Amino acid sequence: EVQLVESGGGLVQPGRSLKLSCAASGFTFSNYYMAWVRQAPKKGLEWVATISTSGSRTYYPDSVKGRFTISRDNAKSSLYLQMNSLKSEDTATYYCARPEGTGNNWFAYWGQGTLVTVSS
Amino acid sequence: DIQMTQSPPVLSASVGDRVTLSCKASQNINKNLDWYQQKHGEAPKLLIYYTNNLQTGIPSRFSGSGSGTDYTLTISSLQPEDVATYFCLQHSSRYTFGAGTKLELK
């Protein structure tokens, strides 16, 4: 059974940093692209980052480019999101998601999410 | 960037009704369109991928159709457990979600 378990969320002040983790199990982690998707309170969903199987390619929307960094450790079946220079508008539940296969595909599996609150 | 517009924002229907939700892309997305269901307090769940492919374990009352810029999710006979918010997602060029349709029971 595919499982994605996020951790690392919490309350952080504007301008500070936070690193999220996602522990994956139930599939061969190194064979799949991985992604982060967020959802602000009572709002819609926003794609945040995608990483290739080896980690050599990463993709971001303009809203987080230059502030967020996605990475992975295939030996540990783990995905990460380093978030710097956080803003109040980054407040959201952050989901780890697994696209189907490689490339720009649908999100077949999602974690339960970890809440990040950016506030002074 | 591709924009996705979902309609209606809120839909009220009765148990047993046939329900249709719409999603319109700002440009041709070549059927790279998926549908997700999100119940209150839960993570999104994939229902339909690549326009009309039913994800494993999803009831057959859910179906998808469309092409070009216009896509539809249909629930053939609404059940109480279908109360949720439904999002479309284009993955033709990066990723863009629609704003969602909140489905309520009348």
Side-chain angles (χ1 to χ4, degrees), chain A residues 35 37 39 42-47 50 59-62 65 95 99 103-112, chain B residues 1 32 34 36 38 40-46 48-50 55 87 89-99:
Chain A
V37 176
Q39 185 171 34
K42 300 190 186 303
K43 299 291 187 181
L45 297 158
E46 180 186 20
W47 164 68
T50 296
Y59 309 88
Y60 308 93
D62 289 343
K65 188 178 293 185
Y95 295 101
N104 219 47
N105 290 326
W106 51 92
F107 297 121
Y109 296 96
W110 300 65
Q112 283 305 300
Chain B
D1 291 358
N32 288 289
D34 320 308
Y36 297 82
Q38 187 177 35
H40 182 69
E42 297 183 4
K45 179 169 72 174
L46 176 66
I48 302 282
Y49 61 93
Y50 200 64
Q55 173 69 345
F87 295 96
L89 169 67
Q90 73 80 20
H91 56 92
S92 174
S93 174
R94 298 193 162 204
Y95 294 99
T96 312
F97 289 91

Side-chain angles (χ1 to χ4, degrees), chain B residues 54 58-63 74 76:
Chain B
L54 193 66
I58 301 302
S60 59
R61 64 179 180 273
F62 291 92
S63 64
T74 299
S76 60

Side-chain angles (χ1 to χ4, degrees), chain A residues 6-12 18-21 83 92 94 114-117:
Chain A
E6 303 93 337
S7 60
L11 176 63
V12 60
L18 197 65
K19 186 172 185 177
L20 306 182
S21 300
M83 304 184 293
Y94 285 73
T114 187
L115 178 62
V116 173
T117 303

Side-chain angles (χ1 to χ4, degrees), chain B residues 1-94:
Chain B
D1 291 358
I2 298 175
Q3 307 302 315
M4 304 301 293
T5 303
Q6 281 190 249
S7 61
V10 180
L11 179 58
S12 295
S14 300
V15 173
D17 282 355
R18 182 180 182 87
V19 171
T20 300
L21 286 63
S22 296
C23 187
K24 186 175 183 67
S26 59
Q27 64 190 69
N28 184 357
I29 55 172
N30 295 302
K31 297 192 172 185
N32 288 289
L33 189 285
D34 320 308
W35 291 95
Y36 297 82
Q37 177 193 66
Q38 187 177 35
K39 296 184 178 180
H40 182 69
E42 297 183 4
K45 179 169 72 174
L46 176 66
L47 299 176
I48 302 282
Y49 61 93
Y50 200 64
T51 295
N52 57 8
N53 294 274
L54 193 66
Q55 173 69 345
T56 302
I58 301 302
S60 59
R61 64 179 180 273
F62 291 92
S63 64
S65 63
S67 63
T69 61
D70 295 304
Y71 298 84
T72 298
L73 173 69
T74 299
I75 307 173
S76 60
S77 178
L78 185 66
Q79 300 301 305
E81 60 266 32
D82 299 335
V83 169
T85 300
Y86 293 82
F87 295 96
C88 62
L89 169 67
Q90 73 80 20
H91 56 92
S92 174
S93 174
R94 298 193 162 204

